[in-house]
Amino acid sequence: MFTDFLYVCREKGLKISMTEWITYMEALDKGLAYSSLEGLYNLGRMILVKTESDFDKFDIAFIEYFKDIHYGEELPADIMKFLDKGEMDRDNLNADVYKFDTERDMQETKRMFRERITEQKEEHNGGNYWIGTSGGSAFGHHGRNPGGLRVSGQTGMRSAFQVMGERKYADFRHDKTLDIRQFQVAFRRLRQFSTKLDVPRTELDLDKTIDSTCNNGGYLKLEFDKPRKNSVKLLLLFDCGGTMLPFSELCNDLFQAVHKANHFKDVKTYYFHNCIYSKVYKDAECEMGNWVDLDYIFKHTDKDYKVIIVGDAQMAPEELFDLNGNYRGPNDGRSGYEWNKLFRNKFKKAIWLNPRFHGGLTSLSWMESEATLAEIYDMFPLTVDGLKAGIKKLMAPR
């Protein structure tokens, strides 16, 4: 029966060999977990997890298997934001907020929790219904409810079914959605594609210096290389508004990382809404008339530019395929699909970074648009691994 835990771990993305699993079983057989759940967890993480980027996956798998709770989507960011504010003064709360049903079972509580997530639109504290703090609600933290789900914060009565939102190792994941620091680190990889000048070797090559020093018995041996000249030219296009609103901060981080980087000879930035049509906008407001013709970009931006498009590709099929699909501006005689094909033919080195990438699923109408655009562009998820793979594709010789 315990073997099921192996399959849960693999389902969450952990690559566990049979040798590692057998080692784990042998360690348990020798009593190295000391008959405690905490010992079982620490022993498993030590043997089964190879890198800190997988700690979060192991945490999710462990909670799901041993707590009989299936881990689903993360809480909406707006709910987590107000929960992080901490507790409120409970001295003046009406005693009625602490009236709750002690007979409710776990499954019913989880069902109610999912309902609250879809219904809740604003912050709530000191109550007994919504996800909040300091009251008698079954959902939140710093409250009182013996049959609830603690969400973030510190435990109070220590009787919650489940602790959600702690995930201390989420930032270590390679598939985590990026922040500005991770963008900057990823873009540093572009430096290796900069052109080396035909000048003397005056730039310290740290990697070669380390190798040579090790091979020299530990005596320092400096190695130098020719300095590089930033030769990468980048054309950056952002999808703005609508379904991209939840990712506006993420897009801003990427924008800031690009413009703070010194890896580019030139950077041009434009904006669009849902789909690239005959015109792209000069700023993120995407206001009528404040645009640039795509034909102008074709004529004044040479084909050597590398292109990064950022968008979720979520749109109705008619927005992509109909000649009049652009409801915010002109199509100029072509569908969005045709304009994107023209764009791709002009810029051979182009990738699409998608914060909601579904990898070719077409079960919903807007997924058909994503799948179609993924056939035109090389599309990658907007994660650490996705950006690395995208840059590698972008900078490949062919």
Side-chain angles (χ1 to χ4, degrees):
M1 186 66 178
F2 190 58
T3 306
D4 291 342
F5 179 48
L6 170 63
Y7 296 110
V8 174
C9 289
R10 287 179 171 177
E11 179 187 325
K12 301 307 176 187
L14 291 169
K15 297 179 180 179
I16 301 173
S17 69
M18 287 308 301
T19 300
E20 291 164 339
W21 183 254
I22 292 172
T23 300
Y24 185 36
M25 294 297 100
E26 290 176 346
L28 292 177
D29 187 56
K30 294 179 182 298
L32 298 182
Y34 302 104
S35 301
S36 74
L37 194 62
E38 182 179 359
L40 188 68
Y41 167 81
N42 290 330
L43 188 65
R45 200 180 76 179
M46 180 177 65
I47 296 174
L48 304 177
V49 182
K50 303 177 181 66
T51 172
E52 67 273 9
S53 64
D54 286 338
F55 282 173
D56 187 56
K57 297 175 184 176
F58 184 74
D59 285 358
I60 293 172
F62 195 89
I63 290 173
E64 177 175 324
Y65 184 81
F66 289 101
K67 297 294 186 181
D68 193 28
I69 296 174
H70 182 78
Y71 181 84
E73 295 294 324
E74 295 183 8
L75 283 172
D78 54 346
I79 294 181
M80 288 302 300
K81 185 176 181 180
F82 73 70
L83 285 174
D84 288 339
K85 291 181 178 180
E87 63 177 324
M88 62 179 290
D89 181 11
R90 290 181 287 185
D91 293 338
N92 297 320
L93 292 179
N94 190 312
D96 288 341
V97 303
Y98 295 124
K99 293 181 179 179
F100 36 71
D101 182 7
T102 58
E103 300 299 322
R104 184 177 57 244
D105 64 17
M106 183 191 301
Q107 295 303 319
E108 175 65 11
T109 301
K110 288 166 64 178
R111 183 193 64 78
M112 294 167 60
F113 180 66
R114 289 191 292 268
E115 287 181 355
R116 300 296 189 275
I117 290 177
T118 59
E119 296 172 352
Q120 187 161 342
K121 304 300 182 185
E122 58 187 19
E123 178 177 345
H124 289 275
N125 300 294
N128 58 9
Y129 183 81
W130 297 107
I131 303 170
T133 67
S134 305
S137 172
F139 321 106
H141 63 81
H142 282 100
R144 300 177 186 173
N145 195 306
L149 300 179
R150 176 161 64 87
V151 186
S152 190
Q154 299 296 319
T155 183
M157 299 182 70
R158 298 185 178 273
S159 58
F161 289 136
Q162 175 185 12
V163 177
M164 302 181 65
E166 290 186 350
R167 296 185 60 199
K168 296 179 290 184
Y169 302 102
D171 287 339
F172 290 86
R173 294 179 67 125
H174 283 162
D175 57 354
K176 177 184 179 291
T177 301
L178 294 157
D179 58 27
I180 188 168
R181 182 187 63 81
Q182 291 167 312
F183 276 128
Q184 291 172 325
V185 171
F187 280 126
R188 287 192 192 123
R189 298 170 66 90
L190 289 171
R191 191 174 187 276
Q192 64 183 294
F193 302 106
S194 299
T195 302
K196 290 187 177 180
L197 301 173
D198 189 16
V199 296
R201 297 174 182 271
T202 58
E203 186 176 276
L204 179 66
D205 189 320
L206 188 58
D207 290 337
K208 288 183 179 179
T209 295
I210 293 173
D211 289 341
S212 295
T213 299
C214 293
N215 294 331
N216 199 33
Y219 289 96
L220 180 63
K221 184 178 180 181
L222 298 176
E223 297 285 355
F224 295 89
D225 204 349
K226 295 178 181 180
R228 295 176 182 269
K229 178 183 179 181
N230 295 333
S231 61
V232 177
K233 295 181 287 186
L234 182 65
L235 178 59
L236 193 60
L237 293 101
F238 289 101
D239 182 3
C240 295
T243 55
M244 280 296 292
L245 284 176
F247 307 105
S248 56
E249 185 175 350
L250 181 65
C251 289
N252 181 63
D253 286 345
L254 188 150
F255 179 88
Q256 296 295 330
V258 167
H259 284 270
K260 288 179 180 178
N262 58 358
H263 315 300
F264 306 106
K265 182 178 180 179
D266 185 39
V267 177
K268 299 181 186 293
T269 306
Y270 296 102
Y271 305 85
F272 64 97
H273 180 69
N274 283 355
C275 184
I276 297 174
Y277 296 106
S278 61
K279 303 178 189 297
V280 290
Y281 297 88
K282 297 179 181 179
D283 58 42
E285 299 298 325
C286 295
E287 295 180 349
M288 286 280 277
N290 189 27
W291 48 45
V292 176
D293 288 337
L294 213 56
D295 285 334
Y296 177 88
I297 294 177
F298 289 164
K299 293 176 182 177
H300 293 85
T301 307
D302 63 66
K303 62 182 180 181
D304 293 331
Y305 273 76
K306 316 299 181 187
V307 179
I308 297 179
I309 303 171
V310 182
D312 61 4
Q314 290 196 20
M315 69 196 83
E318 55 268 22
E319 291 184 70
L320 183 60
F321 296 108
D322 286 2
L323 291 180
N324 298 311
N326 182 12
Y327 64 90
R328 294 171 63 98
N331 281 60
D332 290 345
R334 290 188 176 96
S335 66
Y337 175 79
E338 291 172 314
W339 280 114
N340 277 273
K341 290 284 287 185
L342 285 173
F343 189 92
R344 187 66 174 84
N345 289 335
K346 166 67 178 181
F347 300 104
K348 302 299 183 183
K349 295 293 184 178
I351 63 171
W352 188 301
L353 300 177
N354 190 335
R356 300 183 194 261
F357 190 39
H358 295 83
L361 296 177
T362 57
S363 56
L364 298 175
S365 59
W366 53 263
M367 288 185 180
E368 178 184 350
S369 299
E370 178 191 289
T372 300
L373 289 169
E375 293 175 357
I376 300 175
Y377 303 97
D378 293 299
M379 188 174 288
F380 302 90
L382 189 51
T383 62
V384 176
D385 285 343
L387 182 56
K388 286 180 180 179
I391 289 177
K392 183 177 181 180
K393 182 70 177 181
L394 200 62
M395 307 308 296
R398 293 184 179 179

